[in-house]
Amino acid sequence: MENTIIIGLQWGDEGKGKIVDLLAPKYDVFVRFGGGANAGHTVRFEDKHFALHLLPSGVIHPNKICILGNGMVIDPFALISEIENLRIQGIKIDGNLFISEKAHIVLPQFQILDKLRERGNISIGTTGKGIGPAYENKCSRLGIRAGDLLYERTLKEKLKNLLEPINFLIKNYYREEEISIDTIYSNLLNIADKIKNYLVDVSALINSFMGFEKKILFEGAQGTLLDVDHGTYPYVTSSNCTVGGAFTGAGISHKKVKKVIGVVKAYTTRVGKGPFPTEISQPLSDKIRNRGNEFGTTTGRPRRVGWIDLVGLKYAIDLNGVDEIALTKLDVLDEISDIQICTKYRERGTEIYSFPSQFEILERLVPEYEILSGWLCPSTGIKTFEELPRQAQKYVEFLEENLKVPIKIISTGPRREETIFK
Ligand code: IMP
């Protein structure tokens, strides 16, 4: 049994897409289990760039099966346009894509509401893709599931129950224009035709693949510190991006998974608002952002940049039961003379080694650092650990010793071959 879960251990954008892409030849089935079109990554393959938001990265590999789990919230219009764009680029998506009939549908009203809420007192800096409202409506039991698109008559009734109060809010509280339920209904009926052939009971399908010894890779989206329960609440997304999300979001047993790979960037980034203890100020942040091309794939926003944070990483490793780490973007630190590593926090004179739950504490604590001298020479494209500059090796060894998890993959550039397997 080789089934594996890949999870981001920071605030997303750790470079999970490249790691999935590297491991893809070993797996048969690729499953997304949470989030929606808030995720985004560019996968490079034979000099082509593919922008993915909803589909798993495995989709660009020939003869692989791709699954969107029940834990996802899916904008059907965005999904069809993603599929059509990939088709234009020569990627075949027929017979190999399956979507859970239990996944919830993101409606245009959710995106409107998501953006309107950002004008309020607490702005999260969301992607504006309607993710929060979609999960809210799932929990309120008024949501529309992908399977509902097949039942024309009851769909209308469900849409009314869901959207009448939302339209009321948009019109009377936010004083914005509502979208008529009839318009949504007819648009959904049109798109339903394009989606219905993909709909299945995903849990049963994955379990039957497991019965046939197919190797399955569960692709986490976002990152541990954005998890709605365990992240820096309320500055989080609305799904469980930790391993538990894979079990509920794909409908499989924890006993069927052999390994958890945690993806960690050699420094830290965060998009949107919220506490970020190791955040770096300008001009150094600009230097790292530009070298690492740290701009959001979904929204184009510049990512905030910080040092690596061992307190946050140990918390993420424990939460997810991480077996091994893939360290990405090591080469982005090539020109940094002093590299800082946060090993603990100090709060009102007391040392803290655990990750606080309250954002008020996270905002005021002071990170304490070990400083390692940088390597100040190119490491881009290096393929063996032995060839890395000695100081870069020391950085990796320091992380490994402190995190107590083996670092098995080191990425030294965006291309597949720019990778070290330890
Ligand atoms: P939402 O998921 O759009 O509701 O956004 C909530 C928070 O999660 C915001 O700070 C977003 O920037 C962040 N976020 C959501 N998806 C991603 C992602 O894929 N990478 C990094 N940050 C994300």
Side-chain angles (χ1 to χ4, degrees):
M1 183 179 72
E2 297 289 335
N3 306 329
T4 301
I5 305 179
I6 293 204
I7 294 282
L9 299 188
Q10 293 152 314
W11 279 285
D13 306 316
E14 295 90 354
K16 296 179 287 294
K18 171 173 169 180
I19 304 303
V20 172
D21 187 53
L22 278 174
L23 300 178
K26 286 195 193 168
Y27 294 87
D28 307 300
V29 182
F30 297 79
V31 184
R32 272 247 350 233
F33 55 82
N38 49 348
H41 41 253
T42 311
V43 182
R44 292 161 202 242
F45 186 56
E46 291 173 355
D47 286 326
K48 284 191 189 155
H49 289 198
F50 302 95
L52 301 174
H53 295 283
L54 286 159
L55 295 167
S57 310
V59 75
I60 60 164
H61 292 260
N63 306 320
K64 303 290 181 187
I65 291 168
C66 291
I67 296 181
L68 307 189
N70 56 279
M72 288 189 71
V73 290
I74 301 172
D75 172 347
F77 306 99
L79 176 68
I80 294 303
S81 112
E82 193 168 318
I83 292 174
E84 276 163 11
N85 282 339
L86 288 177
R87 271 207 192 110
I88 293 168
Q89 290 182 281
I91 304 290
K92 174 186 153 295
I93 317 227
D94 278 315
N96 61 336
L97 175 66
F98 300 94
I99 301 173
S100 170
E101 51 207 7
K102 298 178 192 161
H104 277 249
I105 293 295
V106 175
L107 296 170
Q109 266 90 346
F110 298 175
Q111 291 161 3
I112 295 175
L113 205 54
D114 194 5
K115 289 175 193 146
L116 288 172
R117 286 209 186 117
E118 287 289 297
R119 295 189 198 157
N121 288 341
I122 295 185
S123 156
I124 309 286
T126 71
T127 59
K129 299 289 178 186
I131 305 300
Y135 282 109
E136 261 169 68
N137 289 306
K138 169 179 176 171
C139 291
S140 77
R141 292 157 294 178
L142 290 172
I144 307 292
R145 307 202 295 180
D148 293 332
L149 301 182
L150 304 181
Y151 298 90
E152 272 186 42
R153 212 169 42 79
T154 46
L155 178 62
K156 185 79 180 258
E157 202 52 34
K158 286 176 188 163
L159 280 173
K160 273 180 148 188
N161 283 338
L162 169 68
L163 295 180
E164 273 174 359
I166 294 180
N167 271 351
F168 183 85
L169 191 71
I170 292 176
K171 191 170 161 204
N172 298 295
Y173 183 76
Y174 290 108
R175 309 228 171 263
E176 290 290 333
E177 208 164 320
E178 56 184 350
I179 308 180
S180 95
I181 297 174
D182 286 340
T183 309
I184 301 278
Y185 179 62
S186 67
N187 290 349
L188 280 180
L189 290 187
N190 286 338
I191 204 96
D193 265 350
K194 297 190 174 174
I195 289 201
K196 64 183 180 206
N197 291 338
Y198 300 122
L199 298 183
V200 292
D201 176 343
V202 151
S203 166
L205 182 71
I206 298 177
N207 279 298
S208 77
F209 282 138
M210 285 174 172
F212 289 107
E213 306 287 321
K214 296 268 185 219
K215 298 184 183 80
I216 306 185
L217 188 68
F218 297 89
E219 288 188 35
Q222 290 80 43
T224 300
L225 301 179
L226 286 173
D227 182 283
V228 66
D229 284 283
H230 302 290
T232 47
Y233 194 89
Y235 300 96
V236 291
T237 188
S238 299
S239 59
N240 285 114
C241 358
T242 42
V243 276
F247 306 123
T248 51
I252 49 133
S253 159
H254 66 283
K255 292 180 187 159
K256 302 275 176 69
V257 170
K258 185 172 178 203
K259 188 159 67 177
V260 177
I261 300 178
V263 185
V264 176
K265 187 145 56 182
Y267 47 97
T268 313
T269 58
R270 157 156 224 179
V271 213
K273 307 212 174 136
F276 188 175
T278 63
E279 185 161 13
I280 301 173
S281 51
Q282 283 174 320
L284 186 55
S285 57
D286 288 343
K287 183 173 170 181
I288 299 177
R289 181 181 306 111
N290 290 332
R291 194 175 153 95
N293 192 22
E294 296 295 354
F295 297 89
T297 327
T298 303
T299 57
R301 291 178 289 178
R303 297 178 184 143
R304 297 157 67 192
V305 176
W307 299 114
I308 205 159
D309 180 346
L310 299 190
V311 185
L313 285 175
K314 284 179 189 167
Y315 171 67
I317 287 167
D318 286 347
L319 275 173
N320 293 299
V322 173
D323 296 297
E324 51 188 71
I325 287 176
L327 183 71
T328 60
K329 292 194 154 182
L330 183 66
D331 58 303
V332 173
L333 298 180
D334 280 357
E335 291 168 8
I336 309 294
S337 50
D338 290 313
I339 299 180
Q340 303 197 31
I341 303 172
C342 169
T343 52
K344 60 184 172 207
Y345 303 141
R346 191 171 286 276
E347 208 252 325
R348 296 182 169 156
T350 310
E351 286 181 349
I352 317 186
Y353 291 89
S354 57
F355 196 77
S357 315
Q358 286 299 117
F359 81 86
E360 290 87 346
I361 299 180
L362 278 160
E363 272 178 350
R364 68 171 182 240
L365 53 73
V366 181
E368 298 209 344
Y369 295 102
E370 292 272 336
I371 300 178
L372 297 191
S373 17
W375 42 99
L376 301 178
C377 61
S379 73
T380 307
I382 287 181
K383 295 183 183 65
T384 65
F385 189 72
E386 292 65 36
E387 283 172 279
L388 274 181
R390 183 64 198 124
Q391 283 307 120
Q393 291 179 354
K394 280 192 181 167
Y395 183 60
V396 175
E397 285 162 359
F398 186 93
L399 299 180
E400 217 167 22
E401 275 159 28
N402 282 274
L403 295 173
K404 301 187 174 33
V405 177
I407 297 177
K408 294 275 186 135
I409 298 175
I410 302 167
S411 169
T412 56
R415 302 187 161 276
R416 261 187 207 168
E417 58 280 12
E418 294 171 327
T419 308
I420 298 169
F421 288 94
K422 263 177 83 225

